[in-house]
Amino acid sequence: MITTDTGGETPHSTVGAHEESGSPDHTVQLLSPTGDRLDDAVYSARAAHLDRAALEDLYRDMALTRRFDNEATSLQRQGELGLWPPSLGQEAAQVGSARALRPQDFVFPSYREHGVAWVRGLDMRRLLVLYRGRDHGGWDAYQHNYNVPTLVIGAHTLHATGYGMGIQRDGDIGTGDPDRDRAVVAYFGDGATSQGDVSEAMVFASAASVPVVFFCQNNQWAISVPTAKQSRIPLVHRGEGFGIPSVRVDGNDVIACYAVMDEALERAHNGGGPTFIEAVTYRMGAHTTSDDPTRYRSRAEEEHWRQRDPIARLRIHLEKSGTAPEFFDRVEAEADRLGEDTRAFCRALDKPDPESMFDHVYATSNSQIERERAWFRDYEASFDQEAQR
Amino acid sequence: MTERIAMAKAINLGLRRAMERDSKVMIMGEDVGPLGGVFRVTDSLQKDFGDSRVVDTPLAESGIIGTAIGLAYAGYRPVCEIQFDGFIFPAFDQITTQLAKARYRSGGRVKFPIVIRVPYGGGIGAVEHHSESPEALFAHTAGLRVMSPATPSDAFAMIQQAIASPDPILFFEPKARYWDKEDVDLQADDAALGLIPAPDGAVPGVAGLERARVLTSGTEVTIAAYGPTVKTALSAARVAGEEGRSIEVIDLRSISPLDIDTVATSVTKTGRLVVVHEAPTFFGAGAELAAAVTEKCFYSMQAPVLRVGGFHTPYPPANIEEEYLPSLDRVLDAVDATLAY
Amino acid sequence: MPAYQPFNLPDVGEGLTEADIVEWKVSPGDTVTVNQTIVEIETAKSLVELPSPYAGVVHEVLAEVGASVDVGSPIIVIDTDPGGEAAAPSDSGGEAETSGDVLVGYGTKAPSQARRARRHAGTTATAAPEQPPAPGPEPERLAPEPAVAAPEPASPSEAAPSSAVLAKPPVRKLAKDLGVDLSRLKGTGPGGIVTREDVNAAVENEQPERLVVYPGDDRPWLDGGTVSADGRTTRVPVRSVRRRTAEAMVASAFSAPHVTVITATDVTKTMKLVKTLREERDFADVRVTPTLIAAKALILAIRRHPEISAAWDDETQEIVYKHYINLGIAAATPRGLVVPNIKDAHRLGLHDLALALSELTTTARAGRTTPAAMTGGTVTITNIGTFGIDTGTPILNPGESAILAVGAITKRPWVHKNKVKPRWVTRLALSFDHRLVDGELGSRVLQDVAATLNDPARGLVWG
């Protein structure tokens, strides 16, 4: 059955379709919106080892991500950031999928993957530096195997495929050594699937059986354009069309997101090639702080998805399974500290040295750059810095 | 009747007039529908003209331009919005290998009256790819016209001229000037808008798209600018004027073609030229203008043409874009320097 | 101690410049927490709620509902330490809590309206031209290429070897027109730049050609140019005046069949007239020469035979008769031959003709003759007598039909009133374009000129 059941003015749940697990029309779900664990013939086993402690860890990841994200949104509203793309509502898709990664796996994110950054071990506050306009990323991508964001929609999916081609050439697939086999993940959104680059990335990956996972967070909205205007079929079929094993998952179900990613990574690590994952979720906030969702979507739709909040879902489950209230208090206190740290960190970020704009343009000395740098240095030095204050 | 409106609104109203004038005009781009574009330039147009004429496209710039070319073959006049300057490059192939050459290839039999609106330039505290000035790349490509308005009034007229043009036009809108306000004559007739009225209610034509405009008359130094830097040039002329200098400011308006004659006439008088743009000076529009003016005015020139613009670096992070962009001080320094020769 | 923190309206949407206050969610006296929503604003893009950046008590709301506020203007003041004593709101003391720098979240800044203060005058672009100007990203000027002869105010005397010349384009043009070799001049402008004045001075103070002795010979020859290996030849590039002269002469000599007629005449009366006029008060301000009288004589002759004032239009196969006389005067200058002409010379009285003549010669000698002055001539006088030559066969100035050569005026034995007497005698030669002037016409014109010079009183009759 093919349905165009994503987004639009009349929202309805895209999860819980009735196809059998393993079919792309099936939406994998292991935790219901009411907080009950569900059985799935294919995927339950992959999450079976996630005990309460592990789920509490996932909860903490998501709660801290959200708190950080909210703080950043506020900081933008207070003039401390130029822009912020909120991840609100997508925590399960990001945290669940990222927790399945091995340290040696590499991630090419888009610009909204704050939860993935957190799980990879990047100090999330580092993300603020970019949005405060101090740099364009600038961290060591190899330290956490987490690249700086790509803002041109979908362009990095090709980079991920290329990285995977490198892994193939290094022989780091199918060795059976869990510390050696590697994969690469491209995170992107529903809108990106319309870009030619994304199709080309899947063409290359499929043709050469590249160990790459295309993790598409379908958050229903490409700014103001609903997914239905990007595709008349569920996005999961895009992967199928390229001959790539594809799976659709409830993106607000952190357990299911873990499980499908675990499967995709296992395939990649074992030399089985690419996987396309459509994680059906919802961008609860604006596209960015420059956006105004009230112009194009209804309160009712937002409320519908608020009922499917990924963090609330896991909290209900944990409460049902006996997690003590003190755990949530501890997480909230930790989140508060993170919020304060984030605020203080952001405000302490000074303007960079303007001359730094000439750094890193080329690896070798370049006469054009050096002439301009020398001119700029003299020019800046010609001003009375004291009089500017 | 004039109304005090911002440039974003002026372009919006210009688009509206063009759509009313010619039912073949249509708008297409990302988020141009209910959202009205990320800068609200297409605000309300879908509501009033319907989603057949104002199309929220899939998120694919190459697709936007490629399908616009097809629509032009079918007799339509698409006005495409590329959301930000830095996002035009997925469409670069369609623009340069297809759109720019399509008329030539057809032996002049097919018209491609496509306008590609591109919010461009910096100074708005944005992230990477949202502050660039790629106009020279398109000016370098034969078959395309490249224009940029500097004021609300001119934007109101120029967008209508661009849409009336039978040639493809890259219409670069200076983001930093979107919210500048000015009295705009919204009732201006076709002739006043620079359009050639056609008989029997037919769609008007356009001529003289490349005309530059002398904004202030002066005798000692000519400053040529376009788009966002015209305001800076005018500030420099004012400050220099207070210091006893006589500056002539020219708003180029068209980057391809360049109105060399207007600039040359001015430089023949002043003997000095400063070109200001946000794009990197290296291989930029200023370099072309400098060469052309030197060829025409060599023996009138008291100083070399000086360029003020961006550096040969990627557009820097927003915190230091102020140092990257051509500032009042840098323009004044160039004016001083030409006078010191 | 109370600490009043103003909150400035941020740019919430990339480049916005203003917003309207829609609704205040707090009032003075209310306690607020960090990130508590305090106000709703509407921008050109959207409705936005702003969270408080501070915890404390609202001290003052600075913008009313409905007001349009510029980005960066304070909209609310919050006391972050309400327990303390009062202090002026402006004394915020909030440096520690707010960023010192202008934030990107404050978006589009109004372009500055005045110059920033410079450290000290010496480093600015407005400094003396000896300092390198520093406009735009033009760093090349900081390190000028040594061999480039571009106008480079940056201490060019050091940067450029002696062969490089510093001069602005208009000065180069002037020098080119005047045939001045800039490399021989010492520039008096800033940094050794050759100025317009330098070029003019060079023309006025033209020095005799320098002589040098080349290897291979012990005799001095002209300085300059490229000397051959054996030292016996020098090659000098053909410069503009010389090249133009050559082109004109070739064009004329090989298009118009020249015929020259020659006559000798007694010009003693002309010499007396010259002497008389030189003592005339009315002519005190001009230089009276035999050439002046010869010019007048030629004008009178043409007036009697106007068909000689014509030109052959090869393109249309027509003869163009000119109802005016633009009288060319061939002037030898150090840079070559120039032939400026006096426009509408037939309209000028003797005094005005004298004025025009001396002005034209002075200008030509100074090398300031403009191209306009050298075009449109109808007939020319060349005074070869100044070189002590009796006569010659002059070549027509292109586009003209006749040229008169006036030879040296010398005392010679001459039959005067049937006696051989020493008289002032000259030879006149008239070359004409035989395509349109036949021998008779040419001869009559020359005879008339000779007659007037022989007896200037004829001028009264013919004038």
Side-chain angles (χ1 to χ4, degrees):
Chain A
M1 190 181 88
I2 291 172
T3 53
T4 49
D5 55 355
T6 51
E9 284 297 310
T10 352
H12 49 276
S13 175
T14 57
V15 300
H18 307 296
E19 303 295 326
E20 291 200 1
S21 184
S23 150
D25 286 331
H26 175 74
T27 301
V28 179
Q29 194 177 53
L30 299 175
L31 185 66
S32 77
T34 49
D36 297 316
R37 283 192 79 154
L38 304 172
D39 277 333
D40 183 287
V42 176
Y43 293 99
S44 284
R46 293 191 176 273
H49 66 287
L50 294 179
D51 56 12
R52 203 183 72 204
L55 294 182
E56 285 175 353
D57 283 348
L58 290 174
Y59 178 88
R60 173 175 168 270
D61 289 339
M62 293 198 290
L64 294 180
T65 299
R66 177 166 294 185
R67 179 52 197 267
F68 164 78
D69 180 62
N70 284 337
E71 196 67 35
T73 301
S74 292
L75 285 166
Q76 200 287 330
R77 292 293 182 237
Q78 292 157 358
E80 301 284 350
L81 296 176
L83 184 79
W84 184 251
S87 57
L88 186 67
Q90 299 177 222
E91 295 88 351
Q94 296 180 3
V95 167
S97 62
R99 276 293 167 205
L101 290 161
R102 292 177 186 168
Q104 70 266 31
D105 295 332
F106 197 92
V107 173
F108 285 90
S110 177
Y111 46 83
R112 204 188 298 282
E113 276 68 70
H114 317 320
V116 181
W118 163 260
V119 172
R120 292 304 283 168
L122 186 81
D123 182 346
M124 273 193 291
R125 300 179 306 178
R126 187 65 185 73
L127 301 171
L128 301 179
V129 183
L130 186 160
Y131 292 101
R132 197 176 163 90
R134 285 189 92 251
D135 63 20
H136 291 322
W139 61 77
D140 178 0
Y142 301 109
Q143 188 182 359
H144 302 288
N145 284 330
Y146 185 79
N147 194 33
V148 297
T150 299
L151 305 191
V152 176
I153 306 298
H156 59 296
T157 55
L158 278 164
H159 312 160
T161 298
Y163 189 98
M165 291 161 67
I167 293 173
Q168 288 177 307
R169 280 150 184 77
D170 287 347
D172 290 346
I173 46 171
T175 69
D177 178 353
D179 294 327
R180 178 170 176 190
D181 289 339
R182 293 188 286 142
V184 57
V185 184
Y187 282 90
F188 55 98
D190 42 288
T193 61
S194 294
Q195 288 283 13
D197 277 2
V198 176
S199 287
E200 292 172 27
M202 290 197 277
V203 167
F204 277 62
S206 174
S209 202
V210 176
V212 56
V213 180
F214 297 103
F215 193 89
C216 174
Q217 294 171 79
N218 176 1
N219 71 10
Q220 313 300 329
W221 292 96
I223 307 190
S224 72
V225 179
T227 308
K229 289 204 174 178
Q230 313 281 351
S231 177
R232 63 184 291 173
I233 56 168
L235 294 176
V236 66
H237 292 304
R238 289 287 176 83
E240 288 286 298
F242 289 101
I244 295 175
S246 301
V247 60
R248 186 188 220 199
V249 63
D250 180 349
N252 285 6
D253 174 349
V254 68
I255 303 173
C257 287
Y258 174 87
V260 297
M261 188 60 133
D262 186 63
E263 179 197 43
L265 289 168
E266 182 180 282
R267 179 179 294 127
H269 291 151
N270 291 342
T275 304
F276 181 94
I277 297 171
E278 178 192 3
V280 181
T281 179
Y282 191 73
R283 193 194 77 208
M284 291 170 73
H287 164 69
T288 69
T289 46
S290 289
D291 183 29
D292 181 6
T294 64
R295 285 177 167 256
Y296 52 80
R297 68 187 192 190
S298 67
R299 294 278 182 198
E301 177 187 319
E302 292 176 359
E303 186 53 34
H304 169 87
W305 282 94
R306 212 182 314 279
Q307 301 301 319
R308 282 148 186 80
D309 186 308
I311 299 181
R313 183 187 303 197
L314 183 58
R315 178 169 180 145
I316 294 167
H317 175 74
L318 287 172
E319 284 170 347
K320 283 182 188 172
S321 5
T323 296
E326 293 76 38
F327 166 77
F328 299 106
D329 295 343
R330 274 202 311 278
V331 171
E332 190 171 335
E334 187 181 4
D336 284 346
R337 283 197 302 279
L338 175 63
E340 285 162 26
D341 287 353
T342 299
R343 173 164 295 267
F345 175 88
C346 180
R347 286 179 168 178
L349 289 173
D350 290 339
K351 175 175 170 166
D353 177 1
E355 199 185 310
S356 66
M357 78 172 83
F358 297 99
D359 295 342
H360 312 307
V361 184
Y362 296 95
T364 53
S365 80
N366 178 292
S367 60
Q368 181 67 24
I369 290 276
E370 293 316 317
R371 277 193 296 268
E372 295 189 9
R373 182 200 290 272
W375 178 87
F376 182 77
R377 187 180 296 152
D378 288 352
Y379 171 78
E380 286 296 308
S382 74
F383 291 100
D384 183 344
Q385 301 302 326
E386 291 310 306
Q388 315 302 320
R389 297 280 171 200
Chain B
M1 183 195 76
T2 65
E3 195 179 324
R4 187 167 171 76
I5 54 172
M7 180 186 284
K9 183 70 175 173
I11 298 171
N12 174 268
L13 294 174
L15 290 168
R16 181 176 284 279
R17 279 276 292 266
M19 295 185 81
E20 288 165 352
R21 190 182 282 125
D22 182 353
S23 65
K24 294 292 189 185
V25 173
M26 54 180 291
I27 287 172
M28 51 197 295
E30 295 156 8
D31 305 291
V32 297
L35 184 64
V38 296
F39 292 102
R40 311 293 180 258
V41 171
T42 56
D43 190 26
S44 304
L45 295 178
Q46 191 182 63
K47 179 165 64 68
D48 295 341
F49 292 96
D51 60 6
S52 168
R53 292 189 67 192
V54 181
V55 183
D56 262 339
T57 65
L59 204 174
E61 292 79 12
S62 182
I64 293 169
I65 306 303
T67 55
I69 292 170
L71 281 158
Y73 270 107
Y76 286 84
R77 303 179 91 90
V79 181
C80 306
E81 175 174 307
I82 297 293
Q83 200 157 72
F84 281 92
D85 37 64
F87 297 154
I88 199 167
F89 297 103
F92 196 74
D93 173 43
Q94 285 289 341
I95 295 172
T96 55
T97 72
Q98 302 305 311
L99 181 57
K101 300 175 168 74
R103 177 181 163 78
Y104 197 65
R105 184 184 299 138
S106 81
R109 288 176 180 83
V110 186
K111 282 183 203 159
F112 297 90
I114 295 172
V115 176
I116 304 172
R117 295 182 37 247
V118 190
Y120 84 121
I124 65 162
V127 292
E128 197 186 6
H129 313 299
H130 291 64
S131 303
E132 298 170 6
S133 299
E135 63 272 18
L137 298 170
F138 300 97
H140 194 67
T141 304
L144 304 172
R145 285 180 176 272
V146 182
M147 304 167 74
S148 180
T151 65
S153 290
D154 219 16
F156 178 67
M158 283 171 70
I159 188 64
Q160 295 182 63
Q161 293 166 7
I163 293 169
S165 161
D167 286 317
I169 292 188
L170 273 290
F171 193 81
F172 283 98
E173 300 171 3
K175 287 193 268 307
R177 300 277 86 84
Y178 263 152
W179 315 112
D180 284 5
K181 289 181 181 169
E182 183 182 59
D183 286 333
V184 177
D185 181 4
L186 300 174
Q187 309 300 314
D189 62 15
D190 285 352
L193 290 169
L195 302 174
I196 301 168
D200 306 328
V203 178
V206 68
L209 279 173
E210 61 260 47
R211 223 158 278 155
R213 184 172 291 166
V214 179
L215 298 182
T216 69
S217 185
T219 57
E220 290 180 295
V221 180
T222 303
I223 305 179
Y226 56 84
T229 55
V230 170
K231 192 171 181 174
T232 317
L234 288 170
S235 293
R238 188 185 50 71
V239 172
E242 287 164 3
E243 294 168 357
R245 294 302 191 174
S246 173
I247 314 292
E248 184 146 310
V249 175
I250 295 178
D251 176 2
L252 292 171
R253 302 171 76 247
S254 171
I255 298 131
S256 173
L258 277 167
D259 184 356
I260 301 294
D261 288 345
T262 295
V263 181
T265 300
S266 176
V267 174
T268 302
K269 175 174 65 171
T270 62
R272 298 176 168 90
L273 175 63
V274 173
V275 193
V276 189
H277 52 59
E278 288 190 7
T281 53
F282 194 58
F283 281 88
E288 175 57 37
L289 192 61
V293 166
T294 303
E295 285 164 14
K296 281 217 159 201
C297 310
F298 186 68
Y299 284 126
S300 302
M301 294 173 73
Q302 303 291 345
V305 179
L306 298 183
R307 293 166 291 163
V308 184
F311 299 104
H312 188 54
T313 73
Y315 196 88
N319 248 201
I320 53 175
E321 67 180 333
E322 196 183 345
E323 281 80 2
Y324 173 90
L325 292 169
S327 61
L328 174 67
D329 280 296
R330 276 169 58 191
V331 176
L332 285 171
D333 278 6
V335 167
D336 293 343
T338 61
L339 287 164
Y341 274 91
Chain C
M1 184 178 157
Y4 294 114
Q5 297 285 355
F7 176 34
N8 299 335
L9 180 71
D11 167 16
V12 296
E14 294 177 299
L16 296 171
T17 54
E18 61 181 22
D20 295 343
I21 304 293
V22 175
E23 184 188 355
W24 280 105
K25 310 282 190 183
V26 294
S27 309
D30 288 357
T31 298
V32 293
T33 58
V34 170
N35 293 347
Q36 177 184 336
T37 300
I38 52 175
V39 66
E40 187 176 28
I41 62 170
E42 180 165 21
T43 71
K45 288 183 173 181
S46 52
L47 272 172
V48 171
E49 290 180 336
L50 298 185
S52 172
Y54 313 114
V57 172
V58 177
H59 177 72
E60 191 179 4
V61 167
L62 300 172
E64 293 172 12
V65 169
S68 179
V69 181
D70 288 341
V71 165
S73 303
I75 54 173
I76 190 172
V77 177
I78 294 168
D79 180 359
T80 57
D81 185 14
E85 292 173 26
S90 58
D91 182 20
S92 65
E95 292 299 316
E97 285 203 49
T98 57
S99 306
D101 285 304
V102 176
L103 297 172
V104 289
Y106 285 103
T108 312
K109 281 182 278 291
S112 56
Q113 294 298 309
R115 290 179 189 266
R116 287 164 68 194
R118 295 288 187 174
R119 188 178 292 278
H120 47 80
T123 58
T124 73
T126 51
E130 282 80 10
Q131 293 294 328
E138 288 281 7
E140 294 96 314
R141 67 185 56 262
L142 294 175
E145 297 290 327
V148 171
E152 181 54 81
S155 53
S157 50
E158 300 161 22
S162 57
S163 63
V165 175
L166 305 170
K168 293 180 189 182
V171 176
R172 289 179 186 278
K173 173 81 162 75
L174 177 70
K176 189 177 162 201
D177 287 347
L178 300 186
V180 173
D181 181 357
L182 282 175
S183 67
R184 289 173 176 247
L185 303 191
K186 183 167 162 40
T188 62
I193 292 177
V194 177
T195 65
R196 176 174 289 274
E197 290 67 36
D198 294 336
V199 174
N200 285 332
V203 170
E204 275 155 31
N205 307 321
E206 190 78 35
Q207 296 298 314
E209 295 284 358
R210 287 211 307 158
L211 298 180
V212 292
V213 176
Y214 292 103
D217 201 350
D218 57 355
R219 298 283 104 187
W221 288 89
L222 288 174
D223 188 12
T226 308
V227 182
S228 64
D230 64 4
R232 292 179 66 81
T233 57
T234 296
R235 284 178 176 270
V236 178
V238 177
R239 273 206 264 276
S240 77
V241 175
R242 171 53 58 199
R243 185 189 299 122
R244 278 206 299 272
T245 303
E247 287 164 359
M249 291 303 105
V250 168
S252 175
F254 293 102
S255 62
H258 285 56
V259 169
T260 307
V261 289
I262 298 173
T263 187
T265 187
D266 172 3
V267 293
T268 308
K269 284 183 178 169
T270 287
M271 297 309 279
K272 281 184 181 158
L273 175 64
V274 166
K275 191 163 178 273
T276 311
L277 289 177
R278 279 176 178 168
E279 286 157 12
E280 272 293 323
R281 181 181 301 178
D282 286 347
F283 282 78
D285 58 337
V286 294
R287 191 152 171 263
V288 180
T289 63
T291 308
L292 171 66
I293 311 302
K296 191 70 188 175
L298 181 60
I299 291 168
L300 293 173
I302 293 171
R303 190 171 288 174
R304 277 165 52 80
H305 308 284
E307 61 271 39
I308 200 168
S309 182
W312 182 271
D313 189 335
D314 207 46
E315 202 172 316
T316 61
Q317 288 296 301
E318 288 172 328
I319 295 170
V320 184
Y321 289 101
K322 297 173 180 175
H323 316 155
Y324 58 90
I325 298 171
N326 287 350
L327 180 66
I329 305 294
T333 73
R335 292 155 301 280
L337 177 72
V338 294
V339 190
N341 59 68
I342 298 168
K343 307 293 183 206
D344 285 345
H346 61 293
R347 296 178 184 278
L348 302 179
L350 196 63
H351 178 262
D352 285 346
L353 187 64
L355 262 182
L357 202 54
S358 45
E359 189 186 312
L360 174 145
T361 349
T362 312
T363 306
R365 298 254 156 80
R368 289 198 207 113
T369 303
T370 63
M374 289 190 280
T375 54
T378 60
V379 68
T380 294
I381 291 182
T382 176
N383 190 359
I384 59 176
T386 51
F387 309 121
I389 299 301
D390 278 348
T391 192
T393 56
I395 294 179
L396 291 164
N397 209 27
E400 300 178 9
S401 59
I403 179 167
L404 175 70
V406 181
I409 299 174
T410 48
K411 280 233 166 133
R412 288 174 185 269
W414 191 263
V415 179
H416 180 68
K417 293 180 180 170
N418 278 326
K419 288 183 182 167
V420 176
K421 291 204 167 170
R423 299 288 288 183
W424 291 103
V425 173
T426 191
R427 285 175 204 275
L428 303 170
L430 188 79
S431 295
F432 48 86
D433 183 346
H434 211 354
R435 289 176 298 184
L436 60 153
V437 179
D438 57 26
E440 182 189 356
L441 174 62
S443 301
R444 284 178 187 279
V445 169
L446 184 63
Q447 275 181 346
D448 279 6
V449 173
T452 304
L453 290 176
N454 180 254
D455 182 6
R458 249 177 225 288
L460 293 176
V461 180
W462 291 343

